Amino acid sequence: MKRILLAFILLSILKSGINQTIKEYYIYCEPTDFQHIYQNYSENIYIPIVIKHNNITIDNARMRIRGDGSRVHPKKSLKVKLDGETFEDNIITFNFNAEYEDKSYMQQYVVAKLFELSGHHCFKAEHVRLYLNDEFLGLYLYVENIDENFLASRNMDINGNLYKAKIDGASLSIYDNVYIIYKMTGLGKE
């Protein structure tokens, strides 16, 4: 019975995204800059980039490697910040998760959809194609940045406390050691 219910939920979630086209983002940068951040993946080094999406070009942007434990994988997750203009959805920070350990590319996406469908506040997630200097870089999962814009768009207190997992694998379990796994971010922090 549990498997049937799980299959029904999964199919419902997948059905909601069937007619969606996968967004494509084109990132342009100096190849040596990209190689530099890949080689120095443990550092938060931003490099200047140009990013294109839906015939809109933004040349005032920057990119770095993101993540905790995922930085050691061959395919890196990326954070892109737009410094000025935005695309049609007014997003200024893009988190592109490589999903290297999830070969289905579905775990984080399904969890986000389940939270959304159950009426809880959760980040938006969608699959995207990334291109680097016109070469296909891979399929990634865009994950909405949890920041002031996230809170404001959900009519939440932008000065409230936000907690972020310090390490990958935080599961919201009653067995998590909150003081080791989570840290308060700068929004509500004094």
Side-chain angles (χ1 to χ4, degrees), residues 16-73:
S16 69
I18 284 177
N19 293 328
Q20 294 177 336
T21 58
I22 295 179
K23 292 180 182 177
E24 295 181 330
Y25 293 89
Y26 292 81
I27 297 170
Y28 299 91
C29 66
E30 289 294 327
T32 55
D33 286 350
F34 189 72
Q35 185 179 34
H36 179 71
I37 63 172
Y38 248 63
Q39 290 172 342
N40 297 284
Y41 58 81
S42 63
E43 301 175 41
N44 290 334
I45 301 168
Y46 279 97
I47 61 170
I49 65 166
V50 171
I51 185 167
K52 293 183 181 182
H53 170 64
N54 279 353
N55 297 320
I56 299 171
T57 301
I58 297 177
D59 56 9
N60 192 13
R62 52 199 163 111
M63 177 176 69
R64 71 169 173 86
I65 304 297
R66 71 176 300 272
D68 287 321
S70 64
R71 289 179 185 236
V72 299
H73 298 306

Side-chain angles (χ1 to χ4, degrees), residues 81-134:
K81 290 195 175 201
L82 308 181
D83 297 320
E85 295 178 75
T86 64
F87 297 113
E88 68 277 354
D89 42 18
N90 293 321
I91 297 169
I92 59 171
T93 302
F94 291 83
N95 296 313
F96 296 117
N97 288 357
E99 300 298 297
Y100 184 79
E101 290 184 334
D102 178 12
K103 301 306 180 200
S104 73
Y105 286 83
M106 292 302 294
Q107 291 177 3
Q108 193 171 17
Y109 175 80
V110 168
V111 167
K113 290 296 179 192
L114 285 174
F115 267 88
E116 180 185 323
L117 291 172
S118 68
H120 291 84
H121 296 295
C122 189
F123 53 83
K124 293 177 186 171
E126 67 180 310
H127 295 95
V128 299
R129 289 186 187 103
L130 287 186
Y131 294 83
L132 180 69
N133 297 330
D134 290 324

Side-chain angles (χ1 to χ4, degrees), residues 1-11:
M1 184 66 169
K2 287 182 183 179
R3 287 183 185 197
I4 293 171
L5 180 60
L6 183 60
F8 176 75
I9 292 170
L10 184 57
L11 287 174

Side-chain angles (χ1 to χ4, degrees), residues 150-187:
F150 172 88
L151 295 172
S153 69
R154 289 156 177 85
N155 297 317
M156 298 171 75
D157 182 3
I158 63 169
N159 296 312
N161 294 336
L162 282 178
Y163 292 86
K164 179 180 180 177
K166 292 192 275 189
I167 56 175
D168 290 338
S171 63
L172 298 176
S173 165
I174 61 169
Y175 303 108
D176 283 350
N177 185 331
V178 174
Y179 300 104
I180 293 174
I181 296 177
Y182 298 95
K183 68 176 179 179
M184 190 186 317
T185 64
L187 296 178

